[in-house]
Each structure stands twice: as structure tokens, then as C-alpha cells.
Amino acid sequence: EAGVAQSPRYKIIEKRQSVAFWCNPISGHATLYWYQQILGQGPKLLIQFQNNGVVDDSQLPKDRFSAERLKGVDSTLKIQPAKLEDSAVYLCASSFGSDRGRYNEQFFGPGTRLTVL
Amino acid sequence: AQSVAQPEDQVNVAEGNPLTVKCTYSVSGNPYLFWYVQYPNRGLQFLLKYITGDNLVKGSYGFEAEFNKSQTSFHLKKPSALVSDSALYFCAVRVRGSGTYKYIFGTGTRLKVLA
């Protein structure tokens, strides 16, 4: 079974530039998550999709971050414009999705390391 | 507020010795608890989970974790550490969000196993 794919693996940009990250979840997984992991911290949920709908984006800085999952499969996370404090690893994860309260573990991609200069 | 705490930034243990990585939680209701491991330049890998039932949960690579409801803890353990266990370990809890479930992660504990 193929895992969660992410690209690029590394990205270096200057502040005020734009950047986009791509994620392809495991086939059949309805739920997709984007996390931000700042060095020395645990992953922080940015946005969660159930199929192509957003179910939680309460911690997404909407003035500069946006994400979409148009066909309910792969997803793109964009930052525009980037700030120095956006330097982090951006992790994508997927799961089968909540179903009447049953737990479904998350599977993580390798992440994209973003450096903003 | 619902949260997960990992009180130790780093744990050092000699190879062959038992290891414990601590995790405490604060959530309402019955918690779903997890441990993940992260190796350098890799994503998080699932180790084990507690949903219900036996308080001692066994997972991948010989790891186990003990759920203690009275102490609101879910410590990760292994009877005999290997150098290859050196990595970053995260405890997480699933909580009810707005219309769905979401996961809260601890800050991580770096495990260093010394040869």
C-alpha cells in the first residue's frame, strides 16, 4: 500500500514570496490533515478535510494560508505571502475518516521543510 | 482546555536498560490516546493506541504503553532499549472538535539510547 506522498521535500524562499505544498493521501482515505511542526514543538493542526469539505480550520492563519481539496483526493496548501515565522515542517496526514465515533489512525507523509529567509 | 503534556524534553537511557517516556493528558470524557515516533527527516509513524479495554497496550517494535485513568497518564515503555530506538516521540489524544474529531499532540520527547 502506497503511503502519503508530499512534495516538495524541501523549499527555501524569501519572506513575502508565495509557496505551495502538495499532498496525495492514501487511496480511500476520506480525511486529510495539514499540520505545521515548528522546530522543537509538536505538530499543530492547520486544517482538516473530510472528502472535499473543510471540517476544521480554526488554527489556519487565513490572511496568508489557504488550502483546498477540490476532488476529495489530493490537496494543496498555500502560503502567500510568507513570513519568517512560517519556517517549519508541513506535514500531511490521512485517515479513513471518523465513522460513528470509531477511531481511525492517521498516516503521515514525510513532510515539507520550509525555510523562509 | 484539552491538552497533552510530555514533561521531559529528552530522556537518556543505556542500551539494554528499560525506558519510559512520560505523557499526561487533560481531556473531557474517555480519551483515545496514541504514541507516534519521528525519525530525522521523516514523518510521524504510528506506534500504538489506547481506545478501551486492557490498560496495557502493546505496539510496534516492542513498545508498550500503560493507560492510568486515575493519574491521567499514558507512559510509553520498552523493557530493553536499542540504539535504533533513538528518535523523537510524540504522545497525542483525540478530542471532539466542531463536528468531527481532531488530534492534539504533545511537544515531543527526544529519546537517546546510548551504546
Side-chain angles (χ1 to χ4, degrees), chain A residues 40-108:
Chain A
Q41 299 181 20
K44 182 185 84 171
L45 180 68
L46 291 176
I47 189 167
Q48 179 176 342
F49 292 93
Q50 183 75 10
N51 297 309
N52 61 349
V54 175
V55 295
D56 189 337
D57 63 356
S58 56
Q59 298 194 88
L60 186 74
K62 299 180 186 62
D63 58 334
R64 298 184 300 106
F65 286 65
S66 63
E68 59 184 14
R69 193 185 184 198
L70 292 176
K71 297 182 180 178
V73 181
D74 56 351
S75 175
T76 303
L77 176 70
K78 296 180 182 177
I79 307 175
Q80 179 180 6
K83 292 186 175 181
L84 296 177
E85 58 261 36
D86 298 332
S87 294
V89 175
Y90 291 84
L91 295 166
C92 179
S94 70
S95 69
F96 280 109
S98 56
D99 178 16
R100 283 181 285 179
R102 281 187 297 165
Y103 161 68
N104 293 284
E105 69 192 58
Q106 297 175 87
F107 294 84
F108 283 82

Side-chain angles (χ1 to χ4, degrees), chain A residues 9-10 33 35 37 40-43 45 48 50 55-56 58 91 98 101-106 108-111 113, chain B residues 32 34 36 38 41-46 49 51 88 90 94 96-108:
Chain A
R9 292 295 311 276
Y10 305 91
Y33 314 78
Y35 290 90
Q37 185 180 15
Q41 299 181 20
L45 180 68
Q48 179 176 342
Q50 183 75 10
V55 295
D56 189 337
S58 56
L91 295 166
S98 56
R102 281 187 297 165
Y103 161 68
N104 293 284
E105 69 192 58
Q106 297 175 87
F108 283 82
R113 183 177 297 276
Chain B
Y32 287 9
F34 314 91
Y36 286 85
Q38 187 175 33
N41 299 316
R42 303 278 294 275
L44 277 68
Q45 296 178 37
F46 171 78
K49 65 188 179 190
I51 305 299
L88 192 54
F90 290 97
R94 191 183 82 156
R96 185 79 187 179
S98 51
T100 186
Y101 294 95
K102 63 181 181 181
Y103 299 83
I104 300 174
F105 286 82
T107 52

Side-chain angles (χ1 to χ4, degrees), chain B residues 19-90:
Chain B
L19 69 86
T20 299
V21 182
K22 296 179 180 177
C23 172
T24 59
Y25 63 91
S26 174
V27 298
S28 53
N30 295 320
Y32 287 9
L33 296 157
F34 314 91
W35 276 101
Y36 286 85
V37 61
Q38 187 175 33
Y39 297 99
N41 299 316
R42 303 278 294 275
L44 277 68
Q45 296 178 37
F46 171 78
L47 275 181
L48 50 79
K49 65 188 179 190
Y50 172 81
I51 305 299
T52 187
D54 194 349
N55 289 344
L56 186 63
V57 178
K58 294 191 182 297
S60 307
Y61 313 120
F63 283 93
E64 57 190 27
E66 186 168 13
F67 172 66
N68 188 316
K69 189 172 184 177
S70 62
Q71 296 185 4
T72 62
S73 67
F74 189 56
H75 300 333
L76 181 70
K77 301 181 179 184
K78 188 173 182 181
S80 179
L82 300 173
V83 172
S84 57
D85 293 330
S86 298
L88 192 54
Y89 290 80
F90 290 97

